[in-house]
Structure formats: structure tokens, C-alpha cells
Amino acid sequence: MQDEQDFYRCLASDAASRALRKIQEILSDDTLDDPACFHRIEAIVSLLEDMSLSCGGRHDFG
């Protein structure tokens, strides 16, 4: 039973890591432009930066 729990814990961790990486890639994409979503995007950027995950210089509003 412990092996199965460890497997699912690793699987969830891997999925979360891949999701964070994809969010980071999207936020780093200089070709995207959507002013209506600025505050939502800024909240995500702030969260990622709090986790020491850079989103590129385009989002440096500080």
C-alpha cells in the first residue's frame, strides 16, 4: 500500500511540476498580448516569482 501511495505522490508532483513549467513558458511568451487579463496574469507572475520561478523581463513591473 505504501508503494502505491508513493507512486501517486510522485505522479502528482510530476504533473504539478509540468503544469508550473508550462505556465512559466506561457507567461514568458512575448508574442501574447491580452491587456484585459493583466491583473490575473500579474497574480500568477507574482506567485511564480515568490517561488523563485522567473517569467522573463517582460513582466518586471516592480
Side-chain angles (χ1 to χ4, degrees), residues 3-20:
D3 288 338
E4 185 176 348
Q5 289 175 344
D6 288 341
F7 169 76
Y8 286 114
R9 188 175 299 115
C10 288
L11 188 63
S13 176
D14 182 55
S17 296
R18 285 185 282 122
L20 283 174

Side-chain angles (χ1 to χ4, degrees), residues 18-55:
R18 285 185 282 122
L20 283 174
R21 180 67 185 135
K22 291 300 291 179
I23 291 169
Q24 186 180 24
E25 289 174 7
I26 291 166
L27 292 172
S28 296
D29 185 349
D30 289 337
T31 65
L32 299 175
D33 185 25
D34 191 357
C37 293
F38 174 81
H39 295 289
R40 290 183 209 155
I41 293 167
E42 179 62 13
I44 294 169
V45 168
S46 294
L47 172 64
L48 292 173
E49 288 177 347
D50 288 347
M51 299 172 70
S52 298
L53 298 169
S54 173
C55 294

